[in-house]
Each structure stands twice: as C-alpha cells, then as structure tokens.
Amino acid sequence: MCGIVGYIGSKPAYPILVKGLKRLEYRGYDSAGVALIDDNQQLNVYKTKGKVSELENFVIQKNISGNIGIAHTRWATHGEPCSENAHPHFSSSESLALIHNGIIENYAVLKEKLQAKGYVFKSSTDTEVLVQLIEYIKITNNLDLLTAVQLALQEVIGAYAIAVIEKNHPEQIIAARKSSPLVVGIGDGELFLASDATPIVEYTDKVVYLNDEEIAVLSNGTELKVVNLHNAEITPDVKTVVMNLGQLEKGGYSHFMLKEIFEQPDCIHDCMRGRVNVEGTNVALSAVIDHKEVMLRAKRFIIVACGTSWHAALIGKQLIENFCRIPVEVEYASEFRYRNPVINNEDVVIAISQSGETADTLAAVELAKSKGAFIYGICNAIGSSIPRATNTGSYIHVGPEIGVASTKAFTGQVTVLTMLALTLAKEKGTINQEDFLEVVGELNSIPEKMKEVLLLNDKIAELSKIFTYAHNFIYLGRGYSYPVALEGALKLKEISYIHAEGYPAAEMKHGPIALVDAEMPVVVIATHNALYEKVLSNIQEIKARKGKVIAVVNKGDTIISKIADICIELPSTIECLDPLITTVPLQMLAYHIAVCKGMDVDQPRNLAKSVTVE
Ligand code: M6R
C-alpha cells in the first residue's frame, strides 16, 4: 500500500525519486506525485492520477530541480484515485508538503477541529488532515517542524509512515512511522528514505529500519538523528542489506510474474540451502532447533496469514499434523485479531507473510504475543515488521517478489513449512527414519522436477487461448491439493478478473455442482495419490454435467487422462510435496489467460502487493 521515497544529498533528487517510485510501484499505482525544493527555496509539488510513467509525462517542461525531495505512489484508502487526492499534500500556506502510507483513523474528528479554525481542504484524504494539523500546531505554538510533527502524531490514531519537507528548510526531511514500514538509507553524503530497501540498494547497503513511533530527521544528506514522539534520542541500528539488483528487474521476461514463476527452481534451492544437506538425507531448520523446548512443549500450533500465505498455511497444517502429531489451527489473521481468540503460553503461533508487513498478520502477532504465545515468523522480506515482531522464524529466501500475484513466495513458504515439520518431527520422534529420508530426498529433487514443469509453459500458453471466453472457473482438489485449488483460483481471479472458486472436490455435490454446464471450465488436481479414485469419481460427476475438465495429472496417467478434456502432465512426487509441483501449472494458466485477455498482470486493478492497512 502506497510507496514512499525521499532523497537529500548533492545530486538532483528527481531522477532518484522517480526511479525509486518505479521500484515501489508494486505497492500501489493509482496516482503518483513528487515534492521538490529548488535552489530558490521554491517548494514544487507535481502529482497526477495514474502510474509513475504518467507523472513523468506530467512533469515534462516543469521545474524539477532540487537536491531534496519526497515522492509517493498511491493505493487509495480515503478518496478516489485522482490528482487532488494524490500525494504529496500541501499545508494551507503551501510551506509544508507531506506524503503518507497508512490510515489516520481519527481523521474526521481532526478535520472538523481544523475546519472550525478556518482550515479549508482540497482533497478527501486523511493525509491532508495530517499536514494541516502539523502546520496548525507549528504556527499556533511557533514551533520548529520536528516538534510540531511530534505533537501532531501524539494526536493521531492509526497507522502511518510519513515524510514531510518544509519550504524554508531545504536542509531536512522529517519522517516517522507507526505500523507502516519506513527505511532510511545512509549513503556517502546522501540520505534516502523508502517504504522498503528496494529503491535504496543501488546507492547504499547501509540501512536503518525505523521502529514504531520513531521519527527520523535526515539533515544535509549527512546527519541522521532518530528520536521518539517525546524527543528522546534513539541510537539508529544500522544494518547491511544484501540485494542483487537483477532481482529487481524483469531480466528479459515480459512480466515480473512470469519471471518469478520461472525463478522457482532456484528459489526452492536457495530456500533449502544450509537447511537440507546436499545428499538430501537430513534437514534442520535452525530456528526450530534453537527453540526446540518451546516447540516440543507446544500443545497446539495456530497459523495466521492472509491470501496466498493463508493457502500455504493450510498445507502447513497438514504437514505439521501428519509428521508432528500436533493439532494445528489455521486462521485468517484479519478474523483472528478481532475475535478474542483463546491463546495461551502453551501455543506456538506461526505467522506467514511474504511482505512481512501485512497489517492484519502483524496485528495477529501482537495479539498472540500479548497473550503469552511463542511466535514463529515465516517471511520473505528481510528486516520487515513481522520478522522483527516475532520470537524467532525462518526466512524463505526467495528474493524480492515484485508481481502482485504471489508465486515463488507460496512455494517458498510451503518449502519452509515442510522443513519445519520435518525438523520438529525428528526432534519429537514422530516420524520414522525411512519416511524422513523419503521426504527429505524428494524435497531435494523438487527444483529439478519444477524445471520439468516449466517446460510446459508453451503448451499452457496455447491452451489458455481456449478459455479467455470464460466468466467463471472452478478449481478442485482434495487433501494436500485442496489448498492448491484455492490458490489456483485466487491467481486466476486476481490477474484475469475471471470469477474463480476453489473447493474440496467432494464438496461439489453439496451445492457448487449446480453451476456446472458445458461452458464451465473445471480445473481438477488429480495427481496419483491416496485420493486418486475419489477424485476420479468427482471428475465423472462433472463430465456427466458436460463440464470442461482440465485435469492436472501425473505423467503416464491412463485413466483420468482418458476422460478429461485437457490434461496437464506433471512429474510425480510424494503426496505431501505435490503442492510444490501442482501449483506451478496453475500459476502459468492464470498468467497466460490474463495475458491473452490483455490484462495488466503485474499490477492488477484495485490490488497492491503489500497490504499495510487493515
Ligand atoms: O505479504 P503477505 O504474504 O502477508 O500478503 C498476503 C496477501 O495479501 C497476498 O498473498 C495476496 O493474497 C496476493 N496478492 C496473492 O497473490
């Protein structure tokens, strides 16, 4: 949700800001804007509806000079996407400009108070309320900007990452965070600000992740001071980030999503590095080993997540219950956080999040922590808020995921959950050595099998053309394949805007089968496992209603392949690892259908990669 970039140093700020916005465009892309202070101390704000490229067109012929600036790409919360609601927002006197990610929950009360003092608002955003409030506090009390920001933020309820600059003080940017991410980059005579490290890494690897209610004062490109809302100084914890710039580019692929689908064999390899031995005979997840007392003592695991990460959680439940014989509950983080759940210090809560910033998942973590549970994070973005809020955890190490539709993060999450279940099961003695060796050995061979699946890309691209007519899709699976069906349906709907639902295959006859007719494509995950015969019956029920069955089967299948309309043949693996193989063709199917329909695959409408508002 909303991307923030800031720069102060000796270079022209605009090119750095715009490049940074492009790196952050995955966070939101309905409008964009920039504020710059030029050498004559003019504070220029340019903003427009649409993507960053539209901002670039908009500023042609405009004064974009200045060595200090802030910029923003927006995902609308308050007010429709339009240039008035785009950030930065000016204060009334136009001496302050502010950008914001998050939601000011009490904005209506604050706005009324300011309106009563004569303040007039040009936009319908909560952000404009904040900049006016800062200005009001500053002018009425004759304060400097930092103090005014501190006092204003004490009045605010909600989430924010903000950056503010002042016309008469081109030597400083003031930035603050609460429940929305913000990173400061420390370069050589220049300082950067961003929602995550991706816009910063090409200039410096030294970063400071701000914590909640911390305010950073970036002065002259050289001095970084961090204080809290009450002005107590905090020593910044400077970290080194390692990120390969190539990971942030499309690298010859037409979309990030396709690139990320194709990266999966390498990603799974990276995810297992140092955890599964090269011989494929042992697996050890250090976070489990290091905290084995609490993990072994746990009476119950609760997994909290949203979206695709929630689908990975459903697979994790089956893995942990199967191998470790511990009950596992899977919860939507957004529901869990508001329903007064029963949690205690014998629970282990696993939070799964690619971005590590999802507001609901973070809130679920905080709630579970406050009730004494031990919190284990499974995240991708290094240094993000969830890993910092947990007791321990394991990164999935799949590299930055830029496409809004999650692909490699899902398979990375399932891989970590598999390693977690195996490590714990071995510690508990709930898995015998033969089964352990079989699963680890198979896990080790998944990257090679994924490469085989990727060879089907052209075939899937071809068959996708058949289905662009469809307004609905059904996805079916059982056991480990049921969450894969949910994930396949989510992928299709979010990027192609075709309505799609996933069901456990046997649930069809309890209602959804009424939808099946000759127009209805039904994707069935029908690999050879314990429920194969049952899935076969489910397929027959669909064929009897003339549904179009696209079956995902194993190579050499001779039964389902005869009755399905289309078969996608995959290499075999063991049942519990099937999701790592069967998810990949469903990602490709969704991708190609969306491409055939001319959709904006990497930045689908209404979505954002990192959901930092609830
Ligand atoms: O960053 P997270 O894993 O916490 O994100 C959770 C969901 O917002 C995310 O998986 C979303 O559903 C994706 N767009 C799915 O492709």
Side-chain angles (χ1 to χ4, degrees):
M1 311 263 120
C2 301
I4 284 179
V5 196
Y7 175 80
I8 181 164
S10 54
K11 295 182 192 144
Y14 175 79
I16 294 171
L17 294 173
V18 136
K19 198 168 187 188
L21 284 186
K22 286 185 176 164
R23 293 246 192 265
L24 290 181
E25 211 167 13
Y26 72 88
R27 300 178 66 88
Y29 32 81
D30 58 46
S31 54
V34 59
L36 299 151
I37 305 177
D38 69 14
D39 290 346
N40 301 318
Q41 290 200 11
Q42 282 308 306
L43 174 53
N44 297 309
V45 170
Y46 308 115
K47 51 190 191 171
T48 183
K49 184 178 171 181
K51 297 195 172 190
V52 177
S53 55
E54 282 162 67
L55 177 67
E56 287 181 286
N57 291 333
F58 184 74
V59 302
I60 292 171
Q61 314 273 344
K62 302 227 164 44
N63 172 9
I64 50 165
S65 65
N67 308 115
I68 166 172
I70 54 176
H72 189 267
T73 176
R74 179 171 186 249
W75 186 89
T77 57
H78 293 67
E80 60 167 310
C82 60
S83 55
E84 291 74 35
N85 290 337
H87 302 206
H89 286 282
F90 266 135
S91 60
S92 278
S93 70
E94 300 202 345
S95 66
L96 304 181
L98 181 141
I99 54 178
H100 167 224
N101 170 27
I103 292 184
I104 309 297
E105 287 169 12
N106 59 337
Y107 83 102
V109 179
L110 296 170
K111 189 171 183 175
E112 259 177 41
K113 179 175 133 183
L114 290 163
Q115 279 168 328
K117 310 265 179 217
Y119 276 78
V120 175
F121 291 84
K122 295 186 180 134
S123 76
S124 17
T125 65
D126 50 342
T127 305
E128 193 186 1
V129 175
L130 182 56
V131 70
Q132 303 280 37
L133 178 66
I134 294 169
E135 178 162 284
Y136 168 70
I137 292 173
K138 184 173 182 314
I139 292 173
T140 44
N141 302 295
N142 194 22
L143 299 172
D144 61 24
L145 180 59
L146 172 61
T147 316
V149 167
Q150 286 167 324
L151 292 176
L153 292 180
Q154 288 176 40
E155 289 193 35
V156 158
I157 300 170
Y160 55 77
I162 59 162
V164 52
I165 54 176
E166 183 177 11
K167 186 174 174 173
N168 298 331
H169 286 278
E171 76 289 352
Q172 71 173 16
I173 300 176
I174 292 185
R177 87 153 254 173
K178 184 180 177 196
S179 306
S180 283
L182 210 48
V183 187
V184 179
I186 304 171
D188 189 8
E190 52 190 358
L191 294 167
F192 305 83
L193 189 68
S195 298
D196 66 37
T198 55
I200 297 174
V201 285
E202 65 186 281
Y203 309 103
T204 176
D205 61 358
K206 299 276 169 292
V207 297
V208 173
Y209 294 96
L210 293 185
N211 293 311
D212 276 354
E213 302 197 340
E214 287 182 356
I215 302 181
V217 183
L218 287 64
S219 304
N220 294 316
T222 49
E223 190 197 331
L224 170 66
K225 181 168 104 170
V226 179
V227 292
N228 69 13
L229 296 189
H230 305 287
N231 212 31
E233 204 156 335
I234 294 152
T235 309
D237 180 11
V238 182
K239 301 240 188 266
T240 304
V241 276
V242 185
M243 210 181 280
N244 170 356
L245 272 184
Q247 293 175 321
L248 307 176
E249 312 285 346
K250 285 190 204 148
Y253 287 90
S254 34
H255 296 95
F256 279 109
M257 181 178 175
L258 189 63
K259 177 184 175 231
E260 289 159 5
I261 290 171
F262 270 79
E263 280 174 350
Q264 288 177 108
D266 289 341
C267 292
I268 300 310
H269 211 269
D270 291 345
C271 179
M272 293 192 296
R273 180 170 298 131
R275 294 161 165 178
V276 175
N277 65 350
V278 276
E279 298 79 20
T281 54
N282 199 11
V283 56
L285 213 50
S286 57
V288 175
I289 309 272
D290 293 349
H291 298 89
K292 70 177 177 201
E293 282 78 24
V294 65
M295 304 281 281
L296 289 171
R297 202 177 55 225
K299 293 269 187 305
R300 173 177 70 153
F301 278 45
I302 303 168
I303 314 184
V304 292
C306 303
T308 286
S309 300
W310 186 82
H311 297 155
L314 293 178
I315 296 169
K317 170 184 167 72
Q318 298 188 50
L319 289 161
I320 297 169
E321 287 189 344
N322 272 346
F323 296 142
C324 310
R325 311 313 300 157
I326 306 173
V328 181
E329 291 168 19
V330 175
E331 299 260 8
Y332 284 116
S334 52
E335 291 295 312
F336 178 83
R337 65 179 288 195
Y338 284 120
R339 65 164 185 75
N340 192 16
V342 178
I343 322 165
N344 59 46
N345 59 9
E346 294 185 320
D347 292 323
V348 168
V349 170
I350 301 179
I352 308 181
S353 172
Q354 185 287 129
S355 62
E357 298 293 352
T358 299
D360 285 319
T361 311
L362 184 56
V365 163
E366 299 295 358
L367 173 71
K369 218 162 59 170
S370 73
K371 300 205 176 224
F374 182 81
I375 320 288
Y376 192 113
I378 297 180
C379 297
N380 189 34
I382 314 277
S384 53
S385 301
I386 293 171
R388 289 188 291 134
T390 51
N391 297 101
T392 189
S394 305
Y395 283 113
I396 60 173
H397 290 309
V398 300
E401 190 180 65
I402 314 276
V404 164
S406 191
T407 52
K408 62 180 182 174
F410 176 77
T411 46
Q413 290 162 348
V414 172
T415 304
V416 165
L417 286 160
T418 310
M419 295 189 289
L420 184 154
L422 288 170
T423 308
L424 190 59
K426 199 174 176 196
E427 291 293 335
K428 278 192 89 174
T430 46
I431 189 167
N432 67 45
Q433 184 65 0
E434 196 186 330
D435 291 348
F436 180 83
L437 286 175
E438 187 193 16
V439 184
V440 184
E442 265 303 306
L443 186 60
N444 212 27
S445 68
I446 290 292
E448 284 309 310
K449 292 186 178 176
M450 273 183 168
K451 284 183 191 163
E452 269 185 65
V453 181
L454 292 170
L455 296 176
L456 297 171
N457 187 48
D458 290 347
K459 177 182 168 175
I460 294 175
E462 227 16 69
L463 81 87
S464 297
K465 292 179 190 158
I466 306 170
F467 293 104
T468 46
Y469 77 87
H471 294 293
N472 298 287
F473 256 77
I474 291 175
Y475 285 72
L476 302 178
R478 299 188 73 160
Y480 282 101
S481 300
Y482 160 52
V484 176
L486 295 180
E487 176 60 8
L490 178 61
K491 285 295 85 93
L492 185 70
K493 67 186 132 189
E494 69 182 327
I495 59 169
S496 73
Y497 318 147
I498 294 174
H499 174 241
E501 295 300 335
Y503 295 103
E507 275 298 300
M508 279 302 280
K509 47 182 142 340
H510 300 289
I513 201 161
L515 298 168
V516 176
D517 61 14
E519 297 283 289
M520 178 67 88
V522 183
V523 178
V524 188
I525 300 128
T527 46
H528 219 284
N529 58 39
L531 292 170
Y532 180 83
E533 304 294 336
K534 308 277 177 206
V535 175
L536 170 61
S537 309
N538 299 140
I539 291 178
Q540 273 155 342
E541 288 155 11
I542 294 156
K543 284 311 302 169
R545 275 99 190 154
K546 299 192 167 37
K548 293 269 166 299
V549 172
I550 305 157
V552 175
V553 296
N554 287 129
K555 274 185 191 159
D557 183 290
T558 52
I559 302 171
I560 290 181
S561 53
K562 288 209 181 87
I563 54 172
D565 296 272
I566 293 168
C567 276
I568 299 174
E569 293 193 338
L570 305 179
S572 309
T573 183
I574 52 176
E575 190 167 348
C576 66
L577 300 182
D578 241 1
L580 292 171
I581 299 297
T582 52
T583 304
V584 179
L586 303 192
Q587 296 168 343
M588 294 196 281
L589 184 68
Y591 171 80
H592 288 294
I593 290 177
V595 170
C596 288
K597 294 190 75 180
M599 299 308 180
D600 190 346
V601 172
D602 283 336
Q603 294 172 349
R605 70 183 180 203
N606 305 339
L607 292 176
K609 183 76 185 158
S610 181
V611 186
T612 54
V613 293
E614 60 173 296

